[in-house]
Amino acid sequence: MAIFAPPPPNLGFFVGVLDFLASNEALLLAFAANAGRDPAAVLRARHLLAPPEEMI
């Protein structure tokens, strides 16, 4: 049996930050490079936190 925790109250803030990064390729690439992450991983994180409405 899986137990799901409620989302943190500031989840919308983090989704907004990831949306902002995703809206500008240069910014996304700079952020990903600075964080040592693949830019695609940043985009995947955004979709995991708040999938598009059609996926719900």
Side-chain angles (χ1 to χ4, degrees):
M1 174 182 207
I3 298 175
F4 295 97
N10 54 359
L11 180 63
F13 171 78
F14 293 116
V15 171
V17 169
L18 293 174
D19 278 343
F20 177 72
L21 292 171
S23 72
N24 182 309
E25 185 178 8
L27 186 58
L28 173 63
L29 294 175
F31 172 81
N34 192 39
R37 302 283 184 228
D38 178 13
V42 176
L43 298 176
R44 282 193 305 273
R46 190 268 173 249
H47 288 290
L48 285 171
L49 289 174
E53 292 295 323
E54 62 271 8
M55 294 179 66
I56 297 176

